Structures are given as structure tokens and as C-alpha cells.
Amino acid sequence: MGTLYLVRHGQASFGADDYDQLSELGKRQSVRLGEYFGERGIRFDGLIAGTLRRHKQTLAGILEGMQHAGEHLSWEGLNEYDSEAVLATVHPGKLEKPTTPEMYRHHFRLLRDGLARWMAGSTQPQGMPSYQEFVAGVAGALDHVRANHYGQHVLIVTSGGPISTAVGHVLGTRPEVTVDLNLRIRNTAITEFAFTPKRHMLVGFNALPHLDAPAYREWVTYT
């Protein structure tokens, strides 16, 4: 069998004018994950990433930590949904930057509602694909891995939406379960699949073995 590691990007710049940029902590998380792979002698035969800046920066940090260089395949179908477009379907006007726990909870309650409506096909966020098209983009990446990397180790760097969609696609979960999975995925968390030419099998979800030590307790983030 082959092994596929799906990794969510490091902490991005939530609440800033440009979210699609790793924070300093996000960069350290990425390098630390690469060090973890290197310490365990894990090397990748295939590297794939979404085309967003935070995806590329995370992959660069992982490779730096591994002390490894390699070319990667860019896959647009692994890009995240546009959360602002999703929020706009359930909330008129732009939300204020969250500054309190209650504001953060309100933000993610609205996001959950907007995602559920998009998945059900009752809304279509501006500039985004339909949910069926979004799933097809993620499934296409999984198909590519099975067809081209049987028996190999593959790393995909992407976002929480595509990772939860991949898990839901493989397990056949309901859309509302996919939403719950999406909102729990932590930065640089590993979701692992074993795969054959015919199918993927979930091995692990949302793991942070590289941050297990007490020294990294404050490095665990969700945005």
C-alpha cells in the first residue's frame, strides 16, 4: 500500500487584511513538522499542494525542517473555499474582526451555517464553485495519488475544507459531519490515509505528533 499524508497549513493571519499569509508561529509550526518527518526517516516520493500562498509557505517550511528539497505539483482543486463569500450568504455586510471569545464563537457559528447551506445547494457564494465541484476537485487529487503513487509516500499540503472533504468523501459521511470535521482541524495537523490503486482508507485524523512535547503546548492553533 501507499501512504498519503494530508497536512493543513500552518497558522495564517486570521483577522488581518491578508489572511493568506503564514504568521511567524505558522512558519515555526511548519518547520517543526518537517523536523518530525526527518527525525523518523520519512521521505516523500510525491509532493502536492494547493496554489494558495499559505499552502506553498507551509510546504517550504516542512522541506526546510526535513533538510530536503523537491519540486511539487500545484493542484488548484486543493484550494480552500472563500470563507468571506460563504459568510456573505448568511450575514449582510462585513463582519468585524473578532477580538473576544464571544465574537469568535459568533463568527464560526455563522460560518457553520453558511457552509451547511452551500453544501445543501440552497446558496451559491459569489465567485465559488458549487459544493459538488469543490468535492470533485478534492476527489481528483485523491484519484491522481492512487493512479500515480501506488506503494509510495505522498504529502499533500492544503486547508481544512479540502481535508475534511477528503475524509467525508472516503468515509461517505453526511455534509453536516464534514462541516464539524472542518472546524476542528488544527494547523499543521496530519490526516493519514493508506491507499491502493482502487481506494483510500483512513488511518489517522487531525494528529499533531510533532507538537506533543510540553515545549510546544502553546503552538497548537486552529486558524
Side-chain angles (χ1 to χ4, degrees):
M1 290 188 183
T3 302
L4 170 62
Y5 297 89
L6 282 165
V7 169
R8 187 188 176 203
H9 60 79
Q11 184 190 56
S13 301
F14 184 74
D17 291 336
D18 183 8
Y19 174 76
D20 191 23
Q21 178 81 27
L22 290 190
S23 68
E24 288 304 312
L25 176 56
K27 295 174 184 176
R28 295 197 300 272
Q29 290 168 334
S30 304
V31 173
R32 175 62 199 130
L33 177 56
E35 291 171 348
Y36 168 82
F37 286 139
E39 289 162 2
R40 280 148 186 80
I42 297 173
R43 288 290 182 267
F44 297 107
D45 305 290
L47 299 169
I48 306 173
T51 65
L52 300 179
R53 188 161 55 219
R54 59 190 184 270
H55 299 158
K56 298 176 183 178
Q57 291 172 340
T58 299
L59 178 58
I62 292 170
L63 294 178
E64 177 185 338
M66 294 178 69
Q67 300 183 10
H68 177 74
E71 296 296 320
H72 76 276
L73 174 65
S74 294
W75 196 281
E76 193 169 345
L78 291 168
N79 288 350
E80 184 63 290
Y81 54 78
D82 183 342
S83 60
E84 289 193 3
V86 172
L87 288 167
T89 65
V90 294
H91 185 274
K94 187 176 178 66
L95 283 170
E96 292 182 49
K97 178 182 176 180
T99 56
T100 66
E102 179 52 39
M103 291 178 73
Y104 276 100
R105 287 192 290 270
H106 178 63
H107 176 97
F108 285 105
R109 281 195 296 266
L110 289 173
L111 181 59
R112 180 189 300 272
D113 187 20
L115 287 171
R117 295 186 188 191
W118 172 51
M119 290 175 169
S122 59
T123 61
Q124 180 52 54
Q126 186 175 1
M128 278 177 47
S130 68
Y131 181 59
Q132 290 72 25
E133 292 168 332
F134 185 82
V135 172
V138 175
L142 297 179
D143 291 345
H144 171 85
V145 170
R146 289 198 313 275
N148 294 277
H149 293 287
Y150 176 58
Q152 298 181 341
H153 286 72
V154 180
L155 173 66
I156 287 180
V157 178
T158 178
S159 293
I163 292 171
S164 60
T165 299
V167 173
H169 178 71
V170 169
L171 298 183
T173 63
R174 301 187 309 277
E176 56 267 30
V177 175
T178 301
V179 173
D180 287 338
L181 294 174
N182 177 16
L183 298 181
R184 300 312 304 166
I185 298 177
R186 299 168 292 186
N187 295 114
T188 64
I190 301 168
T191 293
E192 181 181 346
F193 290 96
F195 65 91
T196 70
K198 292 186 177 181
R199 66 190 183 110
H200 281 83
M201 293 145 284
L202 183 64
V203 175
F205 174 72
N206 198 26
L208 292 173
H210 55 299
L211 301 182
D212 272 349
Y216 304 117
R217 186 176 295 115
E218 301 301 319
W219 289 30
V220 178
T221 59
Y222 289 84
T223 59

